[in-house]
Amino acid sequence: MYARRRRAYFLLMGGCLVLFVSAWAFVRLWSVPAAVAMCVVAMVIPPVAAMVANRRGPEDRWWDDPSGDPKSDEWWDELDDKKRRR
């Protein structure tokens, strides 16, 4: 799961770099508005890439881990309508 998120992050950031560099390397020679539009799209990609890289998948069960405090774990299990396996 970590490798998949990392790969997606690097693909998005690579696309961002390709858009930005190609916009000002050769697209601007044909159309400055197209180059600006490409840069605007490239500007939006890094925050999206960060969200993709940091999101938790359904297999990431970090919220189900016991905290170590039996009273707190019992309280949270009661709220979640779960019976703790003993």
Side-chain angles (χ1 to χ4, degrees), residues 18-35:
V18 166
L19 278 172
F20 186 76
V21 170
S22 65
W24 296 113
F26 57 87
V27 173
R28 71 174 169 86
L29 300 174
W30 292 291
S31 172
V32 172

Side-chain angles (χ1 to χ4, degrees), residues 8-70:
Y9 175 80
F10 283 119
L11 283 173
L12 283 167
M13 290 306 288
C16 176
L17 287 174
V18 166
L19 278 172
F20 186 76
V21 170
S22 65
W24 296 113
F26 57 87
V27 173
R28 71 174 169 86
L29 300 174
W30 292 291
S31 172
V32 172
V36 170
M38 288 172 68
C39 284
V40 168
V41 170
M43 178 183 69
V44 173
I45 293 175
V48 171
M51 286 185 270
V52 166
N54 289 314
R55 79 177 167 88
R56 300 268 184 193
E59 64 273 2
D60 296 337
R61 304 298 297 216
W62 58 273
W63 60 86
D64 284 345
D65 292 340
S67 67
D69 179 19

